[in-house]
Amino acid sequence: MTTKERIRAGFLLLDGAMGTALQRAGLAPGEKPESWNLSHPDVIESVHRRYVDAGADLILTNTFGLNAFRFEEAALKDLVFAAVACARRAIGDRDVLVGLDIGPCGKMLAPLGDTDVETVIAVFRQVAALGAQAGADLIFIETMNDLAEARAAVIGAKEGCELPVIVSNAYGADGRLLTGADPETVVTVLEGLGVDALGVNCSQGPEGLAPIVETYLKLASVPVLVKPNAGLPRVENGETVYDLSPADFCAAMRPLIRAGARLLGGCCGTDERYIAGLKALLSGETPLPLTEKNRCAVASARRTVSFGDGVVLIGERLNPTGKKRLRQALREEDLAYLLGEAVSQEEAGAAVLDVNVGDPEVDEKTLLPRLIDEIGAVTDLPLQPDSADSAAMEAALRRYPGKALINSVNGTEESMNAMFPLAKKYGGVLIALTLDETGIPETAEGRLAVAKKILARAKDFGLTEKDLVFDPLAMAVSADPGAALVTLEAVRRIREELHCHTSLGVSNVSFGLPARDGVTAAFFTLAMQAGLSAAIMNPLSGEMMRAVLCYRALTGADEGFRDYIAAAERFTVTARASGGSKPADGADTVREAVEKGLRAKAAALCRETLKERDGLAVIREEIIPALDRVGEGFENKTLFLPQLLMSAEAASAAFEEIRAAAPARERAGGMPVVLATVKGDVHDIGKNIVKLLLQNFGFTVTDLGKDVPPERVVDAARETGAALVGLSALMTTTVPAMEETIRALRKETPRVKIAVGGAVLNPEYAAAIGADFYGRDAMETVRFAERLRDEEKASNGGKTE
Amino acid sequence: MTERGVCDYPALPVNKEEIARYAGCPRGVLPPLLEACLAEAAGAVQNRVAWACFSVSLTDEGMDLGFCKTPSRDLARNLLGCERIVLFAATVGAGMDRLVQKYARLSPAKAQLFQAIGAERVETLCDAFCRDFGKDVPLRPRYSPGYGDLPLSVQRDVFAALPLEKSLGLTLGDNLLITPTKTVTAIAGW
């Protein structure tokens, strides 16, 4: 029997705690347990032997924290080999598996932490490869409290070796991982990566873990593992003891075993008596059979969306086709605009967001993963990277901390050969377009045939029905009056004959007709009735959202018409507000709205004002005077930072309207400024405030972000021809990096002025490290920049205006 | 002899004046948006503390805190006459960081306010822990790595002693900053 078969064959008894045993044997607090593989191999071996003697079928090496983040590169190999050797000696000739144990790497992944996912994948890859060389039977990833890290560990392990991979997570008292994922999402994402078993360890005793284990058993098709603590810890006579005896522990494990858990062991506080107890317990139990759950689901790092319960709305607005403003935002990497589009679709009711950056002037392979990262930071919705470029798709999928909806594959060999391996390796559900080398079949029969071909080919790659959502292609009825009926028929037959889910880009159907939304919404209703599982659509369209609400109300899916009635109230309120008298939020002009920090109001009033006055006039007569007044208020301490920021945001919203009204015209080139938080420092709130205000006052800001090395600041200053560089540092430990950056700038770009700011600085300190200016707050920096601009204008004889 | 534990606190009362102060408002002025942000933050806050007690002694090289040695004079002054200390780490979890990062991209005004709320939440948690702990012993004011001449590098010893990666799931960066960022480590003696 192979190891993979053995994992699935029946019960598998695991070992108990290693750490607790080593502490009892004299491991000092702060000492690294993994170093004992070389310094005390006899102790490690004896702990393993006690578990093997107690009946364990799988023991885990003493390598929990063994990785390049914590140990010298040179020591890693010897320690891994020693660890596996200790386990092998303890086993002797008995038939017991050795799992290479891998715990969290000790770094938090970006964006919460400062470590890039590729670095983490590489660290796990190295350890897994060493484990395989040393002769481990499988890779056991455990106690993971961040789903993104668990995912990186699985990808690393699979790149480092071909051994089976088991993953176990540690949950908080709230039943979620530290970084917010619920059990359903953990199962969805890790099963998508093709792990051989998954489960929970540590966290609590068996009873506390029961609800999580039940969710796993309900959703997972692979064997489920449970390795709890011996209850809760308490201190007794100066020693930490756990409140469950071996007998109590086994009694609490029994219901989990009967519910279907198959890989069983203990974590903190358990020893060989607990494992011997489990051994005795298992001899009287029969493992429940494994069942294929066939779940078609995608997930973000924190939330799951399943196909099959109601139509899944996929927001289509982050796609530049036919959208000038979005195209411009992509080219300029205008994240504020792009993220705004993401959030507005979420608020309107989208369940998944499509992300397409296809534009001849954009490098998809760089921008798609970057945008996926950024959107992931502002929304919990699962994402749908949308690209025909498999390199860009892979770059995005490697980083995405969930299970993506992949848009798309089609029936051509080239597409299937490129996309299927990506879905298999990184997890993901593929949108499969029913077209191939011969084009789009004209009949439903033809599209079904392509779908069958795609499904058969997918199975060659180890994918199944649950990994595909077919898109039988909505075509324009204006070009062919029978087009809609063919598509609807294809939806119905794919559902009935292939038992697969379907999706449509519904708005194509109305192409070429006037008042398209109504036609699209009617088609959408017909498609839902034909069994459509998902639609790529515009969630900001009232007609489309109403079609969903009405369909659900008419088909008994909206209990008590709750959603319909709630939405109907919203519709009427909106209608009244737009038609009736002005709401009393106290602003009649853009200037007032900006002064009062009313973001939505400023945008709405600006939109109105632009019908009568041009953009430059609005900026000069409304926005700038308002900002000046707010800025003065801040300087005179009659207004405070929160109000200043709200006004700045309101001004940004007004500027956005001005841009949208004249998208073709290049923005008047303001004086270029480069901003950065210096190397080693990760605080960027202050720098972001300065950026917002500088932009408001008409400067062209290049923001390099945080933790920026000196050479990148110098490069940016040179490339942009910056007149001013602003540097921020909040920690005393990073002021030397600021000084170094200033030295580099003085040497390479002697003309540029340098302003510094941050909590650790003062004017004297700033002068001592060579800065031209110390900004006590954001407004001071704006005023300094304005002075520079005036000087520049004066020296150019006012030519720049 | 070591006594240690990990505990979860229920939601703690909010000090709005303190949030206003962190957000840059003077006494008596509450930031606009505060109520909306507090409502959004409520679901994102956890209150977890890991702690351990140690005996403390004065040596020729400075203080032996039981989990590390330090020549810090400022801490020695704070702990003058104390025989025992409690070392603790209090965190409000990753949810607040996520909110700050989300709004750093969408609304700097809200980001700054969530930053202030996070700071107030974790300080309030520290206060609650010290108040509870101080019911049994006369606890001195808490003292954190990075205060005075107690270097931030002590965080490495704190991480090993509590052990924070395992007990609270925290990580320590090369720059000695903790993730989640709304976390405080401190020492209080009696």
Side-chain angles (χ1 to χ4, degrees):
Chain A
M1 198 171 0
T2 65
T3 305
K4 265 184 193 288
E5 286 163 354
R6 198 150 159 208
I7 293 169
R8 299 179 65 88
F11 288 131
L12 202 64
L13 184 59
L14 277 65
D15 57 8
M18 171 64 76
T20 333
L22 297 187
Q23 279 158 18
R24 281 196 199 119
L27 181 80
E31 195 181 354
K32 291 174 178 165
E34 299 81 7
S35 65
W36 276 36
N37 293 318
L38 283 168
S39 64
H40 300 74
D42 48 325
V43 177
I44 305 299
E45 189 185 324
S46 79
V47 176
H48 285 319
R49 181 169 297 114
R50 290 203 292 272
Y51 288 126
V52 177
D53 290 346
D57 305 307
L58 164 59
I59 60 171
L60 305 177
T61 55
N62 177 36
T63 49
F64 184 84
L66 193 53
N67 63 56
F69 287 136
R70 295 181 218 257
F71 286 83
E72 296 289 325
E73 289 275 347
L76 281 178
K77 184 170 180 183
D78 288 348
L79 284 168
V80 171
F81 272 68
V84 174
C86 287
R88 288 280 174 223
R89 281 198 304 276
I91 292 168
D93 58 4
R94 289 175 282 191
D95 185 19
V96 172
L97 296 170
V98 174
L100 184 87
D101 192 51
I102 295 182
C105 69
K107 301 281 175 195
M108 182 64 83
L109 270 70
L112 277 176
D114 55 4
T115 309
D116 187 76
V117 65
E118 288 294 345
T119 313
V120 175
I121 290 176
V123 162
F124 286 123
R125 186 196 299 133
Q126 178 187 32
V127 178
L130 288 172
Q133 286 166 29
D137 297 304
L138 58 88
I139 305 295
F140 194 94
I141 297 162
E142 63 149 313
T143 325
M144 287 285 166
N145 55 24
D146 174 27
L147 183 55
E149 185 181 353
R151 189 178 182 276
V154 175
I155 292 171
K158 286 180 172 268
E159 288 179 352
C161 67
E162 289 177 354
L163 299 178
V165 177
I166 296 176
V167 187
S168 177
N169 288 90
Y171 285 82
D174 59 352
R176 291 172 176 268
L177 302 190
L178 175 80
T179 47
D182 58 19
E184 180 184 17
T185 300
V186 174
V187 172
T188 303
V189 173
L190 295 179
E191 253 196 344
L193 293 173
V195 301
D196 295 278
L198 50 81
V200 284
N201 73 294
C202 211
S203 324
Q204 308 181 48
E207 222 171 323
L209 290 181
I212 298 168
V213 175
E214 278 160 24
T215 306
Y216 271 64
L217 289 168
K218 195 172 83 192
L219 303 174
S221 303
V222 298
V224 171
L225 163 154
V226 191
K227 210 171 181 289
N229 292 343
L232 298 169
R234 63 172 194 279
V235 179
E236 211 168 73
N237 299 324
E239 256 193 69
T240 306
V241 295
Y242 286 80
D243 63 357
L244 292 185
S245 69
D248 297 339
F249 180 82
C250 291
M253 287 290 273
R254 191 197 312 268
L256 302 181
I257 293 164
R258 293 199 170 156
R262 292 162 61 121
L263 281 71
L264 306 145
C267 203
C268 304
T270 62
D271 57 29
E272 60 277 11
R273 295 169 303 150
Y274 293 75
I275 302 308
L278 282 177
K279 177 80 182 170
L281 175 61
L282 290 180
S283 65
E285 301 288 335
T286 316
L288 288 189
L290 297 174
T291 53
E292 176 56 54
K293 308 295 192 297
N294 279 319
R295 286 172 65 237
C296 180
V298 295
S300 69
R302 286 175 292 281
R303 191 193 289 180
T304 301
V305 171
S306 297
F307 290 83
D309 10 299
V311 70
V312 173
L313 303 180
I314 304 165
E316 69 178 6
R317 296 179 55 84
L318 282 166
N319 180 335
T321 312
K323 298 193 192 79
K324 266 193 203 157
R325 178 65 187 91
L326 188 76
R327 195 172 288 283
Q328 183 192 1
L330 288 172
R331 289 176 181 179
E332 294 171 0
E333 297 195 20
D334 179 355
L335 285 175
Y337 181 84
L338 298 169
L339 299 181
E341 283 289 305
V343 171
S344 66
Q345 292 184 88
E346 176 176 18
E347 286 168 355
V352 175
L353 298 179
D354 186 82
V355 184
N356 182 320
V357 301
D359 179 90
E361 286 182 32
V362 161
D363 175 19
E364 266 193 270
K365 196 167 172 256
T366 312
L367 189 57
L368 186 62
R370 167 136 192 258
L371 200 53
I372 293 276
D373 277 358
E374 288 291 326
I375 295 171
V378 299
T379 171
D380 279 352
L381 299 187
L383 302 182
Q384 171 175 291
D386 180 355
S387 174
D389 176 348
S390 62
M393 185 60 80
E394 176 159 24
L397 293 177
R398 263 182 97 74
R399 308 186 61 79
Y400 186 55
K403 181 184 177 194
L405 195 52
I406 302 171
N407 194 9
S408 58
V409 69
N410 62 49
T412 63
E413 275 301 311
E414 188 192 354
S415 170
M416 293 191 285
N417 286 330
M419 292 298 176
F420 286 156
L422 297 182
K424 185 70 189 163
K425 176 170 181 184
Y426 299 108
V429 171
L430 288 146
I431 299 277
L433 310 178
T434 57
L435 60 89
D436 62 11
E437 286 87 353
T438 59
I440 301 172
E442 281 178 20
T443 62
E445 184 67 36
R447 291 183 204 176
L448 184 71
V450 175
K452 281 182 182 162
K453 179 176 81 173
I454 293 173
L455 180 58
R457 208 59 190 98
K459 288 184 175 172
D460 295 342
F461 288 82
L463 302 169
T464 70
E465 285 83 352
K466 70 178 189 311
D467 301 311
L468 296 168
V469 169
F470 285 102
D471 182 339
L473 302 160
M475 312 289 286
V477 279
S478 58
D480 170 8
L485 294 174
V486 168
T487 303
L488 293 169
E489 174 71 4
V491 166
R492 194 182 56 73
R493 292 189 62 186
I494 288 170
R495 179 132 190 101
E496 285 172 3
E497 294 174 35
L498 300 186
H499 309 291
C500 280
H501 291 289
T502 50
S503 173
L504 286 171
V506 282
S507 58
N508 292 344
V509 82
S510 61
F511 186 81
L513 292 177
R516 288 181 60 183
D517 263 15
V519 178
T520 307
F523 174 68
F524 187 24
T525 304
L526 291 171
M528 284 187 278
Q529 179 64 7
L532 188 72
S533 327
I536 302 180
M537 44 78 76
N538 177 9
L540 302 190
S541 155
E543 296 235 32
M544 291 295 286
M545 297 310 282
R546 251 173 284 193
V548 181
L549 285 163
C550 296
Y551 179 81
R552 293 187 62 233
L554 289 168
T555 53
D558 182 5
E559 206 182 319
F561 301 95
R562 224 173 295 155
D563 295 342
Y564 179 82
I565 290 168
E569 276 168 12
R570 228 177 24 243
F571 287 137
T572 25
V573 169
T574 320
R576 214 178 298 139
S578 55
S581 63
K582 262 187 206 163
D585 55 7
D588 293 318
T589 62
V590 177
R591 181 171 172 167
E592 266 181 61
V594 171
E595 276 183 35
K596 291 184 177 172
L598 305 169
R599 187 171 169 161
K601 190 77 188 166
L605 285 169
C606 190
R607 210 159 37 237
E608 285 302 308
T609 312
L610 284 170
K611 289 176 186 161
E612 294 146 23
R613 286 145 74 188
D614 79 16
L616 276 178
V618 177
I619 293 174
R620 216 168 13 231
E621 292 154 24
E622 300 278 336
I623 302 177
I624 292 292
L627 285 172
D628 272 333
R629 181 144 172 208
V630 173
E632 279 161 25
F634 180 74
E635 285 156 342
N636 302 332
K637 299 197 169 50
T638 56
L639 273 177
F640 306 99
L641 189 54
Q643 289 117 315
L644 176 69
L645 288 176
M646 288 178 66
S647 288
E649 281 181 26
S652 295
F655 278 124
E656 178 53 39
E657 292 298 329
I658 293 167
R659 289 185 75 182
R665 186 167 49 198
E666 286 288 308
R667 264 185 303 174
M671 184 179 100
V673 179
V674 170
L675 293 181
T677 298
V678 298
K679 189 172 168 55
D681 211 318
V682 295
H683 296 88
D684 61 357
I685 292 234
K687 179 215 66 186
N688 290 344
I689 292 171
V690 172
K691 171 186 168 185
L692 177 69
L693 288 178
L694 283 172
Q695 285 175 330
N696 275 340
F697 279 86
F699 295 90
T700 302
V701 180
T702 303
D703 179 9
L704 300 177
K706 55 196 178 187
D707 193 11
V708 183
E711 53 279 11
R712 267 195 62 210
V713 180
V714 170
D715 288 347
R718 204 183 281 133
E719 281 161 23
T720 61
L724 174 65
V725 171
L727 300 173
S728 167
L730 204 80
M731 300 155 68
T732 46
T733 48
T734 52
V735 175
M738 183 178 263
E739 193 174 0
E740 191 192 334
T741 310
I742 294 174
R743 259 203 312 274
L745 283 166
R746 291 287 180 237
K747 187 158 163 257
E748 304 291 333
T749 54
R751 273 192 56 248
V752 77
K753 296 285 182 199
I754 302 166
V756 298
V760 293
L761 294 167
N762 57 38
E764 295 74 34
Y765 206 176
I769 60 172
D772 295 302
F773 179 75
Y774 162 73
R776 192 172 47 83
D777 56 47
M779 274 314 293
E780 282 198 4
T781 306
V782 169
R783 299 298 186 214
F784 178 68
E786 286 183 321
R787 285 202 298 279
L788 283 183
R789 182 165 59 186
D790 293 345
E791 283 167 21
E792 203 168 82
K793 264 188 214 160
S795 66
N796 289 344
K799 269 177 289 184
T800 51
E801 183 66 289
Chain B
M1 186 180 104
T2 306
E3 293 167 292
R4 56 173 66 239
V6 175
C7 48
D8 287 278
Y9 277 77
L12 297 165
V14 176
N15 183 341
K16 291 181 189 170
E17 288 71 29
E18 195 66 1
I19 295 172
R21 194 175 66 80
Y22 283 122
C25 291
R27 188 183 289 273
V29 178
L30 288 184
L33 301 176
L34 179 59
E35 291 303 327
C37 288
L38 278 174
E40 197 170 348
V45 175
Q46 296 181 334
N47 292 302
R48 302 202 79 197
V49 181
W51 58 275
C53 295
F54 299 93
S55 292
V56 58
S57 57
L58 209 55
T59 67
D60 291 344
E61 294 91 51
M63 308 201 76
D64 184 342
L65 298 172
F67 68 96
C68 76
K69 298 184 172 68
T70 171
S72 165
R73 286 167 183 280
D74 295 332
L75 178 63
R77 209 168 297 127
N78 176 282
L79 293 178
L80 194 66
C82 294
E83 291 175 358
R84 299 275 290 162
I85 55 166
V86 58
L87 168 71
F88 69 92
T91 183
V92 295
M96 284 307 300
D97 283 2
R98 261 208 311 282
L99 282 172
V100 170
Q101 290 183 349
K102 172 177 176 177
Y103 286 105
R105 291 164 168 82
L106 299 173
S107 162
K110 281 192 178 179
Q112 194 247 3
L113 205 47
F114 280 117
Q115 188 79 3
I117 292 170
E120 182 274 341
R121 291 287 72 198
V122 70
E123 291 295 331
T124 298
L125 177 60
C126 290
D127 292 345
F129 173 77
C130 289
R131 198 169 47 240
D132 283 0
F133 203 91
K135 280 178 188 158
D136 301 323
V137 294
L139 211 57
R140 297 272 178 85
R142 61 179 185 268
Y143 203 90
S144 288
Y147 285 11
D149 64 356
L150 183 65
L152 206 54
S153 56
V154 169
Q155 297 290 34
R156 293 194 214 282
D157 303 301
V158 175
F159 258 70
L162 283 175
L164 293 178
E165 286 184 16
K166 206 145 191 195
S167 60
L168 299 184
L170 308 179
T171 56
L172 186 64
D174 293 335
N175 51 12
L176 298 172
L177 295 181
I178 300 174
T179 314
T181 63
K182 293 295 171 265
T183 301
V184 167
T185 64
I187 294 163
W190 72 91

